[in-house]
Each structure stands twice: as C-alpha cells, then as structure tokens.
Amino acid sequence: MARRRVRKADGTAAAVDLHPLVRLWMLRILVPLGGHRELLSQIGFRNDAVAAAVGLEHRIDPPDWSFDRAVVLRELRQLHRQAEARTAGLRLPEPLGGNVEELSRMLGLEEADGRILGFIVLLHTERLLDDAADQLGGLSVSKACSSIATILNLPEAAVRAALGSRGPLIQSGLVSVDGSGSFPLRSKLDLISGEFAAQMTVPDVDPARLLRGIVSPGAPGALGLDDFSHVQRSIDVLLPHLRQSLASRRSGVNVFVYGTAGTGKSELARTLADALGCALYEVSSEDDEGNPVHGERRLRALRAAQGCFSQRPVLLAFDEAEDVFNDDFGPFGRRSTAQTHKAWINRMLESNIAPTLWLSNTIRGLDPAFVRRFDLVFELPVPPKKQRVRILREHCEDLVEHRLLTYIAEARELAPAVVSRAGSVVRSIRDELGPEKTADALEHLLTCTLEAQGHRAILRHDPNRLPETYDPRFLHADADLEALADGLARARSGRLCLYGPPGTGKTACGRWIAERLDAPLLVQRASDLISMWVGETEVNIARAFREAQTEGAVLLIDEVDSFLQDRRRARSTWEVTAVNEMLTQMESFPGVFIASTNLVEGLDPAALRRFDLKARFDFLRADQAWDLLARQCAQLGLEAPPRGLRARVDRLSRLTPGDFATVVRQHRFRPISDAVDFVSRLEAECAMKEGAKRAIGFV
C-alpha cells in the first residue's frame, strides 16, 4: 500500500493509504486521458488531495509561493512512467479481489468483466479515485468506454461489449450505464445499490449480504398449505412443478399470482418455500430508508439475485409486480417498465435460474405477450367463508364471541392480512378496553379497513339468514316451491330465474332454498359486479361463479337484468361481453344458480332459454294477505284483526311480503297500536306504489 501525505486544514500533513493499483489508475486518468488539464491551474492544484495521492504532495503550497505548471506536468508524467513500469503482479486489493473472483464464477463473467466490476466498485468506494475521474469532466457513453479501456489497459471493444445491453455485467443487473447526456464517470456507471459496493470490500461476503437492502430473506410462513385450499387445483400443479424445477435446476420457471391486497400472496410464497424446504428471498419495493424503489432497479435486483443464488435451491418473490408490468392507464398513457425493456424482460423470463413468484394486486394491464411466458397464472382470492371463520378463530377467538365471528366472516372481502393486523392491535390494548369494548374495537378496525378499500361495512346480523317465522306459503309463485326445493336437494344442480315485482319475495326465496339445501348462500348484486373498467365486469362475474363453486354455495345474483339485457339493444361492446360471460358461466356452473329480476321482459332470449325453470312471483292473493296479517299481529302481541277489516285488506291488490316487512320494521320506532293501524300503514305503502305509476305534473 502506498502512503502519501495531504495537507490538513491547519497546514500539517496527514498520511493517506492508497493501493498501488488505484494510484496507477489515477495517473492514467491524469496523464494519458488528459485529466491534468483540469487538475493543474496556473497557480496550483484544483484538488490538493488528488495531487498528494499521486505523489505531488511536495508541490502543494510551496514555501516560495512559486508554481511552475510545466515543471509539475513533467514530474506528473514521470510519476506515471514509473507506475507503469511497476504494474507486474498488481491485483485488486483484498478482499475486493477475492469477492470479484467468486462473483465472476457465479455469474459466468469473463476476466475483463471482473476487472471492470472491480474498478466500478472502487470508483464508488474510493473517494480519491472518484475525485481523479472528475477531472475528466462530463463523458458520453462512448467516451466513458474509451476512458475505462485506457484506465484498465483493456481493448476498447471488450469494454463496449461488457457494458453493452447484452454484456454479462449489464445482464447480471449489478451494473447499469446511464446513456443520457454527459456526466462524470461515477455517475455514468451505477451499481445495483450503495450497499453492494460496501459489501464487496468485506471478506468472504455472502451473496445475501451483497444484495442487502434490495433483496431480503423472506420471513417464515405463518400459514400452512391447508390455508390455501380455495386454490387447491393451482397448488396441486404448482408445488410439484417447483419441486421438480429446484431438483433439476430448470431455468425459466416463473409463476404469476394476482389478487387484491391482503389475500395472502406473500404468505403463500413463504408457505411454498417452507413446504419445499428451501430459502425464500424477496425483492424489496423500498430501500432501507423506506423510499420506493423504481421498477427498473427492482428488475436489476431480481436479475442480480438470479445470478448470486444460482448455486442454491431458493425461491425468489417479486411483490407488487404491477409496478413493472402494467401500463399506465392515465391521460398520458405511460408505458410500463417491462414494455420499455421488453426484450430484456423476455430473456430474463426465459433464462432465470431460480424459480420466481411474481405477485401482483391486479392482472389488469398485463400484456398478453408477457402472460404467455409464465408457467402458471392464477388468482388468489379472499378465502371462502369457512376459511374466513377459521382464520378469525385463529387470530381473534379470544377477543370476541363465536356468534360475532360468524357475522364478521360474512364480509367476503375480508382478507387474512386485515384480520391478523386488527387482531394484534386489539389484543395489545384489550386490558385497557375491557371485555365490553374489545369486540366493538375489533369490528370497528375491520370495518374501517374494508370501507377504506371500497367495500361494505361489517353487519351485526347475518344478511342472508331468514327470520325464524319465514314461511314460503306467503309467497305467490306459479311454481310449487316445496317440491322445487326437494328436487334441488336431490339434484344439487339447477338454474332458476325468479321474476316479478319488487318485494314479492324472490331474494328471500333464494335464501330459503339455500337453507333447505343446507348450503351456504353467496349473494351478489349488480353493484358488486359491475365495474367501470373495461373487461373487469366479466372478471367479477367469473369470480362470483368460481367462489360459489369453491364454497359449494348456492349463488344468488340479484338484479340480474343488469347483465342479461337483450344484446340486440346493446349500445356498447361491454354490454355484449358481459352477457356472453354470464351465459358461459351459467352453462358451466355445476351447482345451484338463482337469478332474480324485476324486469324479465328485457332479458336476452338466449339467457332465458338457459334457465331450467322460470318462476313468476306476484302480489299476494287476498287469502295470503289476510293470513299473513293475522300472523304478524300475533307475533307483535296485537289482538287478532276483526273480520270487518277483511274487505279493506282484499282491496289491496298490489300488496307484497315486502310491505309487511316494512311495516314491522316501523314498529321498532313507531309502535303499531292495533290491526287497524297495521292495515292503514299497508294501505299507505300500496298507495305509494300506485302513485308512482301516475304521471307527475302540475294541475
């Protein structure tokens, strides 16, 4: 190690250790490349530290204040000649040299690639070398390659090849070259991270440490494969595929998993790694300071990890992949990182050594050209109700009673990550809350998160559960409902269309059928499925049928006329595609599907043909209305309706079970005095419906 002296601020000398190879490089920068023109002024050095490091410390601030630029330049050239004469046996300083050799072996780098990598690392870690390179000023890519060739005594063609788009260094992701404008040499040659440069100077560095800050070890999985039984068909293919790929070192293994935030995609990656008995490394989406890492740098990190872990059986996880693959749908239509580096991405997907799980919140915007390059693409939805109940028990059973857990589980959008986080928060403060407020706190946290995600709040009651007093005899349908339920219980399959005026009990009948079949009920409304994004309505429809099949549930779609409108009247393409998707799903669905609508006249003829049974629900018959009135009065503790009231009830030709339910709800805050009062309120409800049919205007 050469020892040089530089001046401190007080004028005294300070020793500086400088490796002979670094000093040689600095001299090549200053002499052959002409950096002396910037270093030497007419009255002294523009950078005293650089001058001292190369052997000109005695020329700094001479006692007689004389500075002969020509004399100093001759001396500088002499120092350069002397250094060139002592190049034999010069190697990179240790431990950098050993780490470069090991990395070259792992990545398949040539000797020239290794020398360039070592130079770039020292350029980023050795301030004096960086200061010397600054004397060259701003450089284009061409001039940067030429300068590196001179500094390292390499053929310029070899440097250009190494730093070209197909060069091993660039392909490895460890190094990138800024092709825009002219900048100092250090700014033109970027490393994967600042931590990488620092770790390359540590003895016997582990690959995981080299990539610290950009690639991190995955946490142990908190779930088991049984927790992902709702995607069992995909797991049954994915697990043996990954196991075989790890054993055979097969390249180009990539899996794309998408689903809304919190559904457990990262947890699935950890669970798979545990099941395979291998390590998991995750490409970070933010740096050590919490700042986001842009897509290109993350892709470089993934590529670097592929090389660094090439000798190990590992899984790699690339979360938030939409930041890389999805084009911007905003007004400016910005192309994704993957699109701007399409050839590079395609090569990586075809040649990556470690199996990679690409995790994304959405598949919307993913180019089909990329989709076909993945071995498996599947959605990880929110777990079905049975699993949601089990997850809630696991995380929250000690916080709330079982009945409330069951109600909470009705929220179909409730992701495992949301449950675990809310449970941990409430558990940490339950001693302060007390038992009375603990359940409310959990419900509040879950509801706030759901609403922030654009979902419905948690309901304190089961919206799909019928009242104990429900009786299908008070439904005016043109089908024998008891016989229908018995037949569906035997067949466990059927497509029903229930149509008729609002309030006639269509939706309630669907719930009753589900209870008769002892099957869960999945209710979907138009607002749940229709999306503003082109193609997403069809995705939502398919997801609803798939979820019902997974849970073994009866699927009830309310307001089905929103999807099954006559295609001959369609104004937009999406209206046609939504109908087509609904028809396709109806035909392939093996379970019980019930559609309800108030507007059967506008349904697509092809859709009507696909229903096994179409049942009309009408206004209550007079005898049904009277019997239902008597039952409701008894349940409310009122006296039986007098016979003289029958005529008023008979005149209510548009009375529905929904009208009775409305009046009963009023009783909570506006008590019903007697049967006469009850009928008066029913008359008011009917008058509202009849008034709606009359034209509104001015007299």
Side-chain angles (χ1 to χ4, degrees):
M1 187 76 71
R3 183 173 290 272
R4 297 295 174 196
R5 295 187 174 274
V6 297
R7 296 279 183 181
K8 294 182 179 179
D10 61 2
T12 60
V16 176
D17 289 331
L18 191 67
H19 193 276
L21 184 60
V22 176
R23 180 171 177 266
L24 173 63
W25 289 346
M26 294 174 65
L27 286 166
R28 287 173 176 174
I29 291 171
L30 296 174
V31 180
L33 291 176
H36 64 272
R37 298 184 183 90
E38 178 65 23
L39 178 66
L40 304 180
S41 72
Q42 294 300 323
I43 59 174
F45 300 106
R46 292 188 173 91
N47 191 312
D48 290 349
V50 171
V54 298
L56 297 173
E57 68 273 18
H58 59 285
R59 296 289 185 180
I60 300 173
D61 299 334
D64 57 357
W65 296 99
S66 63
F67 185 86
D68 191 325
R69 189 175 186 277
V71 172
V72 175
L73 180 57
R74 285 196 298 271
E75 186 173 351
L76 180 61
R77 287 169 173 165
Q78 178 62 27
L79 290 169
H80 171 243
R81 287 192 293 271
Q82 293 172 354
E84 292 287 1
R86 296 191 294 267
T87 58
L90 282 182
R91 295 171 51 85
L92 287 169
E94 295 297 337
L96 173 61
N99 289 332
V100 168
E101 289 182 4
E102 178 62 20
L103 204 56
S104 297
R105 184 186 64 80
M106 289 191 296
L107 301 178
L109 302 180
E110 301 292 337
E111 181 186 0
D113 301 318
R115 290 168 64 181
I116 294 171
L117 177 60
F119 169 75
I120 296 174
V121 169
L122 286 171
L123 189 63
H124 282 255
T125 57
E126 179 58 72
R127 183 183 63 83
L128 290 171
L129 180 61
D130 182 24
D131 287 347
D134 284 346
Q135 309 307 307
L136 300 177
L139 302 174
S140 64
V141 172
S142 177
K143 289 183 178 179
C145 290
S146 178
S147 298
I148 294 171
T150 299
I151 296 168
L152 302 182
N153 195 24
L154 289 171
E156 187 171 335
V159 176
R160 292 183 180 277
L163 298 179
S165 60
R166 294 181 177 272
L169 275 180
I170 304 301
Q171 289 292 308
S172 72
L174 297 177
V175 175
S176 66
V177 179
D178 189 343
S180 62
S182 295
F183 301 101
L185 190 57
R186 185 180 185 272
S187 298
K188 297 294 290 185
L189 304 169
D190 192 21
L191 290 170
I192 186 65
S193 70
E195 188 70 21
F196 173 82
Q199 290 298 323
M200 284 291 288
T201 62
V202 176
D204 302 321
V205 67
D206 183 83
R209 288 179 58 189
L210 277 178
L211 302 177
R212 192 167 64 185
I214 54 173
V215 177
S216 56
L223 303 177
L225 289 176
D226 291 343
D227 295 299
F228 298 96
S229 59
H230 53 301
V231 288
Q232 192 63 51
R233 295 179 64 187
S234 297
I235 298 293
D236 288 343
V237 174
L238 177 59
L239 192 60
H241 177 55
L242 292 175
R243 184 178 291 111
Q244 192 275 336
S245 300
L246 289 169
S248 64
R249 310 300 296 164
R250 178 185 172 186
S251 61
V253 176
N254 295 277
V255 177
F256 196 95
V257 184
Y258 64 98
T260 56
T263 55
K265 299 182 294 294
S266 297
E267 193 60 45
L268 173 62
R270 296 161 187 167
T271 303
L272 287 170
D274 290 345
L276 294 166
C278 68
L280 173 73
Y281 289 90
E282 302 173 1
V283 178
S284 305
S285 57
E286 59 183 34
D287 59 23
D288 292 337
E289 298 179 354
N291 299 315
V293 181
H294 61 77
E296 183 176 349
R297 186 173 290 272
R298 294 186 69 209
L299 288 173
R300 287 173 54 199
L302 175 64
R303 187 67 179 183
Q306 292 285 350
C308 292
F309 295 120
S310 60
Q311 307 301 317
R312 300 183 183 184
V314 302
L315 284 182
L316 295 178
F318 192 102
D319 203 357
E320 300 182 25
E322 64 272 18
D323 294 343
V324 170
F325 283 105
N326 293 2
D327 291 332
D328 186 359
F329 286 89
F332 301 104
R334 185 177 58 189
R335 300 179 71 196
S336 66
T337 302
Q339 287 288 0
T340 56
H341 299 79
K342 196 168 186 177
W344 191 84
I345 290 290
N346 287 339
R347 287 196 299 272
M348 185 176 66
L349 292 175
E350 293 168 356
S351 62
N352 60 297
I353 299 172
T356 303
L357 302 175
W358 302 80
L359 313 177
S360 174
N361 292 333
T362 178
I363 200 171
R364 183 174 57 86
L366 184 63
D367 192 325
F370 291 130
V371 173
R372 66 180 180 83
R373 297 181 182 274
F374 292 101
D375 298 337
L376 181 64
V377 179
F378 68 94
E379 181 184 11
L380 184 64
V382 173
K385 183 180 177 180
K386 290 182 180 179
Q387 283 183 246
R388 295 198 299 271
V389 170
R390 186 183 57 75
I391 292 170
L392 281 161
R393 287 176 179 172
E394 179 181 346
H395 293 281
C396 308
E397 190 170 28
D398 60 327
L399 302 175
V400 296
E401 60 181 4
H402 176 73
R403 181 178 60 85
L404 181 57
L405 287 182
T406 304
Y407 293 157
I408 293 175
E410 289 292 336
R412 292 194 302 273
E413 301 85 3
L414 195 60
V418 176
V419 173
S420 62
R421 183 174 295 274
S424 65
V425 171
V426 174
R427 187 172 290 104
S428 68
I429 60 175
R430 66 176 172 179
D431 291 340
E432 298 182 35
L433 293 173
E436 298 80 9
K437 294 184 177 180
T438 298
D440 287 338
L442 179 66
E443 181 184 354
H444 177 69
L445 289 182
L446 294 173
T447 293
C448 288
T449 301
L450 288 171
E451 290 181 335
Q453 294 175 328
H455 307 310
R456 289 191 178 93
I458 293 172
L459 301 177
R460 274 283 184 162
H461 64 281
D462 187 347
N464 295 328
R465 186 168 297 278
L466 292 170
E468 295 181 359
T469 58
Y470 181 82
D471 191 340
R473 290 179 300 173
F474 296 111
L475 299 178
H476 184 190
D478 63 358
D480 187 334
L481 300 180
E482 290 283 353
L484 174 62
D486 291 340
L488 291 173
R490 291 190 301 270
R492 312 301 295 187
S493 177
R495 298 189 291 264
L496 313 180
C497 178
L498 311 182
Y499 67 97
T504 51
K506 303 180 293 296
T507 303
C509 181
R511 294 170 178 157
W512 173 75
I513 289 174
E515 290 193 2
R516 287 287 298 268
L517 271 60
D518 193 23
L521 177 67
L522 178 60
V523 180
Q524 295 281 1
R525 299 171 180 80
S527 57
D528 300 324
L529 302 177
I530 294 178
S531 171
M532 62 180 291
W533 302 107
V534 176
E536 196 158 296
T537 296
E538 295 88 322
V539 172
N540 293 339
I541 292 171
R543 182 185 296 114
F545 278 91
R546 184 168 62 250
E547 183 179 350
Q549 185 173 349
T550 300
E551 295 195 29
V554 174
L555 176 60
L556 171 62
I557 296 185
D558 204 5
E559 305 169 359
V560 77
D561 47 279
S562 301
F563 307 102
L564 294 181
Q565 296 178 13
D566 194 333
R567 285 169 291 184
R568 294 170 298 183
R569 304 174 187 173
R571 300 178 183 178
S572 305
T573 304
W574 72 266
E575 294 176 306
V576 176
T577 57
V579 173
N580 293 339
E581 182 64 32
M582 180 68 78
L583 297 181
T584 300
Q585 295 296 333
M586 286 172 57
E587 288 191 324
S588 61
F589 183 61
V592 176
F593 168 57
I594 302 174
S596 68
T597 177
N598 304 328
L599 304 170
V600 71
E601 297 81 5
L603 295 190
D604 191 273
L608 285 173
R609 289 196 301 271
R610 284 169 168 81
F611 286 107
D612 303 322
L613 175 69
K614 294 171 279 291
R616 174 173 173 81
F617 285 64
D618 213 334
F619 301 109
L620 292 171
R621 301 190 308 269
D623 61 311
Q624 289 178 311
W626 180 253
D627 291 344
L628 184 54
L629 174 64
R631 173 173 291 194
Q632 293 288 8
C633 286
Q635 291 172 353
L636 295 176
L638 305 176
E639 294 184 1
R643 299 297 302 175
L645 201 59
R646 177 69 183 262
R648 289 175 61 181
V649 175
D650 289 348
R651 287 195 293 269
L652 300 177
S653 60
R654 302 176 64 84
L655 200 59
T656 69
D659 297 326
F660 280 87
T662 299
V663 173
V664 170
R665 289 195 302 271
Q666 291 176 10
H667 182 70
R668 295 174 299 173
F669 55 88
R670 187 180 168 218
I672 303 170
S673 58
D674 53 26
V676 176
D677 186 20
F678 201 131
V679 172
S680 297
R681 299 189 189 193
L682 291 175
E683 291 172 335
E685 294 296 322
C686 289
M688 290 289 294
K689 288 183 281 187
E690 293 169 359
K693 287 188 169 295
R694 294 196 293 267
I696 299 174
F698 297 94
V699 181

